[in-house]
Amino acid sequence: MELFEAISTTRAMRRLDPERPVSDEDLRTVIEAGLRGPSGGNSQPVRWIVIRDPEIKRQLQVIYQRCWERGRKRYVERPGVIAPAVLNSADHLAAHLHEAPALIMVCAQTGGKRHDASVYPGVQNLMLAARALGLGTTLTTAHLFAEDEVKDILNIPADVTTYALIPIGYPLGRWGEAKRAPVESVLYADRWEAEGAR
Ligand SMILES: Cc1cc2nc3c(=O)[nH]c(=O)nc-3n(C[C@H](O)[C@H](O)[C@H](O)COP(=O)(O)O)c2cc1C
């Protein structure tokens, strides 16, 4: 797949086919793409836990759904912030998270501190690689409301921080272009441009 097509069609795919497994080879390929992301000083702190055990997935789903309900409230209280279709699809994911063929927990051993900028570039690489293989992903962070519980389940040490829980599988829906603002509305020349000043 052409890179720019992968970039423009990589979006949150929350409805995944529970009946269609993802091969070990494909999981390895996406993790390899992920670990090629940059990190500060090439410290490479990211660790990837691929979860396929049905019981562990179920335990994570229960926690994730509770966390999502909490996060969801914030959106519902501020109408217009999130499209109803996105809410619906996020609700679906919360109820069906454990049915994804695999979940990928992205962690980093950074002494309890957050090193987001050394982690998320690799996450995007992983999602693009998944797209190239026809696999859907969603970057989720709702579990952070109950990170300690999640760490307990996954046996993650105290000095390791979690960054994203990514369900991966073949999408039930169709790929489409991710909706984003036009470039003119976000691109400034030389200096910050106040809204309405252009
Ligand atoms: C930092 C971050 C946290 C996110 N957390 C969640 C989440 O917990 N649950 C979820 O369903 N989607 C989550 N998303 C996905 C976003 O809702 C999604 O990327 C956004 O709506 C754009 O969707 P699109 O790429 O399909 O257009 C998260 C995305 C980011 C970047």
Side-chain angles (χ1 to χ4, degrees):
M1 167 175 279
E2 202 262 327
L3 177 63
F4 288 96
E5 187 190 347
I7 289 173
S8 61
T9 60
T10 294
R11 61 189 186 91
M13 298 303 268
R14 298 190 181 88
R15 293 169 204 271
L16 302 174
D17 189 344
E19 307 298 335
R20 206 173 153 196
V22 178
S23 71
D24 288 350
E25 193 191 344
D26 281 357
L27 285 167
R28 196 183 162 91
T29 300
V30 300
I31 301 296
E32 282 187 344
L35 67 80
R36 294 195 180 280
S39 56
N42 202 19
S43 51
Q44 303 181 56
V46 186
R47 301 292 179 269
W48 317 81
I49 304 178
V50 175
I51 304 147
R52 282 188 287 187
D53 180 305
E55 181 50 36
I56 299 178
K57 285 194 294 180
R58 185 65 190 182
Q59 288 176 32
L60 292 176
Q61 183 270 333
V62 170
I63 296 173
Y64 179 89
Q65 190 161 31
R66 179 168 25 95
C67 291
W68 166 242
E69 290 305 327
R70 186 170 156 194
R72 177 185 209 285
K73 259 194 210 142
R74 294 188 183 173
Y75 288 120
V76 176
E77 280 162 8
R78 291 178 293 156
V81 171
I82 192 168
V86 176
L87 261 189
N88 271 345
S89 112
D91 288 345
H92 176 91
L93 177 64
H96 297 271
L97 188 82
H98 56 296
E99 294 171 15
L103 303 174
I104 300 172
M105 177 58 84
V106 186
C107 324
Q109 192 146 22
T110 48
K113 291 186 194 138
R114 293 198 64 85
H115 283 211
D116 295 41
S118 288
V119 176
Y120 290 119
V123 168
Q124 182 68 12
N125 267 7
L126 178 148
M127 293 168 69
L128 286 170
R131 171 67 191 99
L133 295 171
L135 293 165
T137 55
T138 303
L139 193 172
T140 81
T141 55
H143 78 278
L144 289 172
F145 283 125
E147 190 184 15
D148 287 346
E149 277 180 72
V150 168
K151 283 171 68 171
D152 265 0
I153 290 171
L154 299 177
N155 208 20
I156 297 175
D159 62 341
V160 173
T161 306
T162 68
Y163 290 81
L165 180 62
I166 305 172
I168 182 166
Y170 291 94
L172 289 170
R174 276 188 292 157
W175 297 101
E177 193 157 318
K179 280 190 199 149
R180 299 293 184 261
V183 67
E184 304 75 45
S185 66
V186 295
L187 172 66
Y188 302 157
D190 297 324
R191 291 189 174 82
W192 181 267
E193 295 172 27
E195 240 171 80
R198 295 195 284 162

